[in-house]
Amino acid sequence: MAPAPRNVEVDYITPRHLAGGGDPAWITVPLNRACGWTYDDDPLMPRVVLTSPDKSAVLRLEPNTDGQWWVLHHIDGTGLPDWYASFGARTPVELIAGFVDALTDPAPPAATSDPFEPLRHHDWEPAQTAPGLAAPDGTAFLQRPGDEHSPGPWFITTTLGHDRPVWQARFGENTPPHLVTAFTTALADPQPVWRANGVLGLPTLDPNIISHRVVTVPAAYVAAALTERAESLSARHNTPPTKASSPGPPTTRTPRRR
């Protein structure tokens, strides 16, 4: 058997909303290990169901060619659905992580929260075709139909032209604003996201739309990144980590451009 590689190539990709879905474990593993969500899966079905400790939220990950792959339902005190959030298959896990990390944060949210503000701060501007904000490159769009008296659900859509949708995130009208803001904050972040499986999962390789650089890092750093994320989230609950702190996410060395 060939020895495991000591170094691997990691692609750093911008804009992050066009980086592809990434590894679902970035969401599911910390929810289970750090936040106490229980899982229910069927080895004969390609799906994962995670339930929060208080049973108020259920996250389902299920391949769905006709709809959203990630669907979270929140239940109110009477046992009825209160609000929902859903994400398409190619929604980067780093953006979904912004949402679920805010959902599981034991600290109280800020008194006020405006999901549009992180986007405005990063130069998103009013869209020309419909009410909402559009990314500077025109590949992402945030819209909330309705008005102040009867606000509707939130829609964040990423496209490569009118006939090439990439993914969509949807938040029900009763979704707490600070959770939507956590998602838009992650969406607007100009920092690249990394992918260790090459660029095959990217919706486009057009250099006029995305940029990526390849960096060689120790394989151990890539393997340890998920563990470090789970340990960081455990610390919010004052839960002692199960093992010593691991190396952080891949750190850049001398980049080799493509």
Side-chain angles (χ1 to χ4, degrees), residues 56-69:
S56 67
V58 177
L59 176 65
R60 180 185 295 269
L61 169 59
E62 184 173 8
N64 183 347
T65 57
D66 297 320
Q68 306 289 81
W69 281 37

Side-chain angles (χ1 to χ4, degrees), residues 47-206:
R47 66 186 178 197
V48 177
V49 179
L50 288 157
T51 304
S52 64
D54 63 1
K55 313 298 183 185
S56 67
V58 177
L59 176 65
R60 180 185 295 269
L61 169 59
E62 184 173 8
N64 183 347
T65 57
D66 297 320
Q68 306 289 81
W69 281 37
W70 300 84
V71 180
L72 185 143
H73 287 286
H74 190 270
I75 310 301
D76 66 16
T78 66
L80 297 176
D82 184 20
W83 54 265
Y84 71 90
S86 67
F87 310 95
R90 283 183 163 176
T91 310
V93 292
E94 292 82 1
L95 309 189
I96 302 174
F99 175 84
V100 298
D101 290 357
L103 174 65
T104 57
D105 192 342
T112 59
S113 186
D114 178 6
F116 287 104
E117 185 56 34
L119 305 180
R120 295 191 189 101
H121 183 71
H122 288 283
D123 301 324
W124 286 47
E125 297 183 346
Q128 297 180 353
T129 57
L133 292 180
D137 65 1
T139 61
F141 176 57
L142 169 63
Q143 182 182 18
R144 190 181 198 191
D147 54 41
E148 60 180 338
H149 302 293
S150 181
W154 300 86
F155 296 95
I156 298 97
T157 306
T158 295
T159 64
L160 295 171
H162 296 294
D163 58 345
R164 295 183 61 190
V166 178
W167 59 262
Q168 186 175 76
R170 307 167 188 166
F171 302 96
E173 58 270 21
N174 295 321
T175 305
H178 78 280
L179 300 182
V180 184
T181 301
F183 184 89
T184 59
T185 298
L187 171 64
D189 190 339
Q191 294 299 313
V193 295
W194 59 274
R195 296 288 182 264
N197 58 350
V199 295
L200 297 180
L202 271 64
T204 180
L205 294 177
D206 187 337

